[in-house]
Amino acid sequence: MTTQLFARHALLPTGWAPNVLVQWDKAGLIHQVQTHVAQPPGQSSATELLVPGMPNLHSHAFQRASAGLTEYRYAEQDSFWSWRNLMYSFAAHITPEQLEAIATWLYAEMLEAGYTSVCEFHYVHHQPDGQPYADSATLSQCLLNAAKRTGIGMTLLPVLYQTGGFGALPPGDGQKRFIHTTDAMLKLLDKLLPQCQAQNAKLGIAPHSLRAVPPESLNAIIEGMNQLDATAPIHIHIAEQTKEVDDCVAWCGQRPVEWLMDHMAVDARWCLVHATHMNASEYQQAASSGAIAGLCPTTEANLGDGIFDLPQWLQHQGRWGIGSDSHVTVNAAAELLALEYSQRLQRRQRNVAASTATPSVAQNTYLQAVQGGTQASARPIAGIAVGQNADLVELDCQHRALAQLTPDQALSGHVFGSSRTSAIRRVWTQGILRVDQKHLLHQPAQKEFIQARTQLLRHIHD
């Protein structure tokens, strides 16, 4: 069975094309993309502006429940580290039912916001007292259930977390739900692999950070993952905070990215999440490795992390993608806007993420983020092209920021001019309609989320 969609204008990997017919099979894989089609074929759905779905390469789903609730001064000088203590209080109390409700709403929000897949960096594994659930995959399954229910594509990244800091410091009380031995994590991965395959999800591994995973465990978990699936993506938080860099230097005499490049076989399977604080040599080495820089501009701004040097990364042909991380913002266009604006503030220039060859900031960043997010996700989601999933986003050409504009102007309006309103009309994943103005589960998912958050806050404050 073939399904098709006709677009007056579609953003292909090579740029905008007119009168595009996209056809996909019953599995949701695109098998034909025709351009300059004279007229819409009979029985085909039609749209004006079609762009590829955006991969979200970094998510902590449970943190959506605390978004907006940590914007109060709790210390003489608030920082990432004081915020982390507040975040741990949410992690300490969340139940499986609450996690599934929060994730279901978040994934529906993501789809409404133009994300069609997510890399879930999942580190809350155990019961509140730190003891494993009878089924070690309980909380992982909640996330898989949420993805299946909403239709978002999933790359599940169970997190290995073992220590409280560089030099194998013991974990703190707030981290007890995260902790796994390497063997226990490998058993969990072995259990999750067939579950992920059954719903067309990709399983990877996420060593949390160099401060949370000692070198011997880092080597062992990657070797074990390779035996399960040698194509599995590897994601790691790195160099997010200057304190992390200073602590790493004190531990081993090297900066985090420098150490990683010298001691691990970093390649295109790796996603270096944040990588905010690198020197010139680290930018060159990391970009040359083929790894993806996982950028989360609105979270990095919210936490006061710092600013990634995008021009220096691109100078070395580095690839990158975007994620919503702690979900203070769930909007793919807003992440691209925040990324570009951070570069402008840092350099006191305009249109930084463009070039003479590719002058449109919106088109350039959108296509680069799709490609980088695809690599980090390790799924066939690289845009409107043969062999890729039919993950498609229809822009609303009647929206005030897009109306009567050319396709490229409309994309710029979507990224830079929609002013926190939605310029998205419909969204498909694997060829199935998930959003028509709103997600088809919008009302029940929203209600369940509010109930879960209310229960969670009550427990935290008791």
Side-chain angles (χ1 to χ4, degrees):
M1 181 183 73
T2 294
T3 307
Q4 57 192 21
L5 179 65
F6 178 81
R8 294 291 180 192
H9 304 279
L11 184 61
L12 307 184
T14 53
W16 287 101
N19 299 324
V20 176
L21 182 65
V22 184
Q23 297 179 315
W24 58 88
D25 61 23
K26 64 180 181 180
L29 282 175
I30 297 173
H31 65 78
Q32 188 166 359
V33 178
Q34 295 177 268
T35 63
H36 299 86
V37 175
Q39 60 183 17
Q43 305 302 312
S44 68
S45 181
T47 181
E48 187 70 23
L49 295 171
L50 195 67
V51 298
M54 180 66 69
N56 185 329
L57 57 60
H58 193 62
S59 165
H60 305 300
F62 78 93
Q63 292 181 22
R64 183 58 175 145
S66 61
L69 302 181
T70 62
E71 311 307 313
Y72 302 87
R73 176 161 292 211
Y74 293 92
E76 182 64 27
Q77 183 173 330
D78 268 341
S79 66
F80 167 87
W81 307 99
S82 58
W83 167 86
R84 189 179 72 163
N85 291 333
L86 296 170
M87 179 269 289
Y88 282 170
S89 67
F90 281 83
H93 292 87
I94 197 165
T95 68
E97 295 77 17
Q98 290 165 354
L99 176 60
E100 186 165 333
I102 292 165
T104 298
W105 169 244
L106 170 66
Y107 296 162
E109 280 189 291
M110 284 185 187
L111 285 158
E112 291 180 353
Y115 293 116
T116 49
S117 65
V118 61
C119 295
E120 187 59 50
F121 200 102
H122 167 50
Y123 57 82
V124 183
H125 295 288
H126 305 312
Q127 299 180 70
D129 63 0
Q131 294 300 307
Y133 287 94
D135 179 353
S136 61
T138 293
L139 294 181
S140 298
Q141 189 61 58
C142 291
L143 297 165
L144 289 170
N145 291 346
K148 185 175 183 179
R149 185 178 174 195
T150 58
I152 200 165
M154 168 65 85
T155 297
L156 182 62
L157 300 164
V159 172
L160 181 65
Y161 203 120
Q162 296 184 332
T163 61
F166 291 101
L169 294 178
D173 186 63
Q175 298 163 330
K176 61 189 175 184
R177 296 192 76 176
F178 314 160
I179 305 303
H180 270 98
T181 66
T182 305
D183 285 345
M185 176 54 70
L186 288 172
K187 289 177 182 177
L188 176 61
L189 292 170
D190 191 55
K191 186 171 189 175
L192 286 171
L193 184 60
Q195 296 180 38
C196 288
Q197 291 171 337
Q199 70 177 69
N200 204 28
K202 184 70 176 179
L203 180 67
I205 185 64
H208 180 273
S209 57
L210 295 182
R211 57 186 159 83
V213 182
E216 61 274 14
S217 296
L218 183 58
N219 279 294
I221 197 64
I222 292 172
E223 180 180 346
M225 185 77 253
N226 287 343
Q227 292 175 9
L228 282 175
D229 180 2
T231 70
I234 305 164
H235 290 221
I236 187 169
H237 290 136
I238 197 158
E240 180 178 2
Q241 286 279 320
T242 54
K243 182 181 185 301
E244 177 188 350
V245 176
D246 294 342
D247 288 352
C248 188
V249 171
W251 164 62
C252 68
Q254 290 185 292
R255 299 164 61 87
V257 174
E258 179 186 15
W259 187 94
L260 193 71
M261 293 297 128
D262 283 354
H263 292 84
M264 304 302 298
V266 177
D267 58 17
R269 291 171 58 199
W270 287 70
C271 179
L272 309 182
V273 182
H274 304 304
T276 310
H277 301 286
M278 296 189 288
N279 61 25
S281 176
E282 289 173 306
Y283 270 100
Q284 189 277 326
Q285 282 187 283
S288 298
S289 74
I292 294 297
L295 308 181
C296 307
T298 63
T299 291
E300 289 152 6
N302 181 271
L303 298 180
D305 287 344
I307 299 173
F308 182 85
D309 190 337
L310 185 63
Q312 187 170 183
W313 185 252
L314 295 177
Q315 176 186 332
H316 301 295
Q317 288 73 54
R319 305 185 81 184
W320 59 274
I322 57 169
S324 56
D325 194 351
S326 67
H327 314 301
V328 288
T329 301
V330 183
N331 187 313
E335 296 295 341
L336 296 179
L337 180 148
L339 176 62
E340 169 65 22
Y341 279 6
S342 69
Q343 305 303 308
R344 296 184 187 191
L345 288 167
Q346 182 79 1
R347 292 176 172 263
R348 298 189 293 277
Q349 298 174 2
R350 297 191 72 252
N351 302 322
V352 177
S355 66
T356 304
T358 53
S360 169
V361 176
Q363 180 177 324
N364 203 33
T365 55
Y366 199 99
L367 289 176
Q368 287 187 28
V370 168
Q371 294 302 314
T374 297
Q375 184 176 318
S377 303
R379 299 180 63 248
I381 50 175
I384 305 173
V386 172
Q388 305 304 304
N389 283 351
D391 289 0
L392 309 168
V393 174
E394 178 188 5
L395 298 181
D396 183 1
C397 63
Q398 301 303 314
H399 188 282
R400 60 184 178 277
L402 282 63
Q404 304 299 313
L405 298 180
T406 67
D408 203 55
Q409 289 172 338
L411 185 62
S412 290
H414 172 52
V415 173
F416 292 103
S418 55
S419 304
R420 298 180 71 176
T421 62
S422 177
I424 291 172
R425 183 168 174 242
R426 290 186 293 177
V427 176
W428 296 258
T429 61
Q430 290 190 263
I432 298 173
L433 183 68
R434 309 294 185 179
V435 173
D436 191 350
Q437 304 295 334
K438 294 185 180 298
H439 192 279
L440 303 183
L441 293 176
H442 182 99
Q443 293 300 332
Q446 180 177 253
K447 181 179 179 181
E448 291 167 12
F449 166 76
I450 293 170
Q451 290 173 340
R453 184 179 61 185
T454 301
Q455 295 165 359
L456 187 56
L457 287 170
R458 186 180 301 126
H459 281 105
I460 289 171
H461 294 315
D462 283 346

